[in-house]
Amino acid sequence: MRIIARRTLREFWEVHPDAEQPLKAWFAMARNADWKKPGDVKTAFRTASFVGNDRVVFNIKGNHYRLIAAIDYRFGIVYIRFIGSHREYDAIDAATI
């Protein structure tokens, strides 16, 4: 999969260093994946949640952080839409961000 934009992850882990290794691991798995449908994501990430509008919520670092990605299965692109704490996640609408 093509991930847009890794910079978002890097900027996050610069502020939250404890998230660096988990985000790098997520990035490596997602980049090497070939997701054609939501079930493929669920196979790779059992705790992933689907919130509509092709948005997927991933738990990062043992559920300390949440990452929301919009996935275009047809073109093989993962758009990182949000990364943050649970408190920050609770303040947004995951399906529209």
Side-chain angles (χ1 to χ4, degrees):
M1 304 296 288
R2 183 171 168 215
I3 314 295
I4 301 176
R6 184 174 186 197
R7 181 176 135 200
T8 303
L9 301 179
R10 187 176 59 251
E11 288 172 353
F12 186 81
W13 77 53
E14 286 173 352
V15 176
H16 305 277
D18 62 323
E20 181 175 1
Q21 290 308 315
L23 286 172
K24 284 182 175 179
W26 177 89
F27 181 85
M29 287 183 68
R31 182 185 60 204
N32 292 315
D34 185 23
W35 298 327
K36 299 294 185 194
K37 59 190 181 300
D40 297 338
V41 176
K42 196 67 169 175
T43 298
F45 293 95
R46 297 238 176 243
T47 61
S49 301
F50 301 89
V51 293
N53 201 23
D54 290 324
R55 301 297 199 271
V56 182
V57 179
F58 296 93
N59 297 319
I60 303 296
K61 194 184 175 265
N63 208 18
H64 284 91
Y65 302 108
R66 296 269 175 102
L67 184 149
I68 301 173
I71 301 176
D72 187 326
Y73 298 99
R74 188 175 53 166
F75 293 106
I77 300 173
V78 177
Y79 299 93
I80 297 170
R81 305 297 298 155
F82 170 86
I83 177 78
S85 68
H86 277 276
R87 179 176 293 198
E88 293 165 327
Y89 172 82
D90 289 341
I92 62 163
D93 180 358
T96 59
I97 194 164

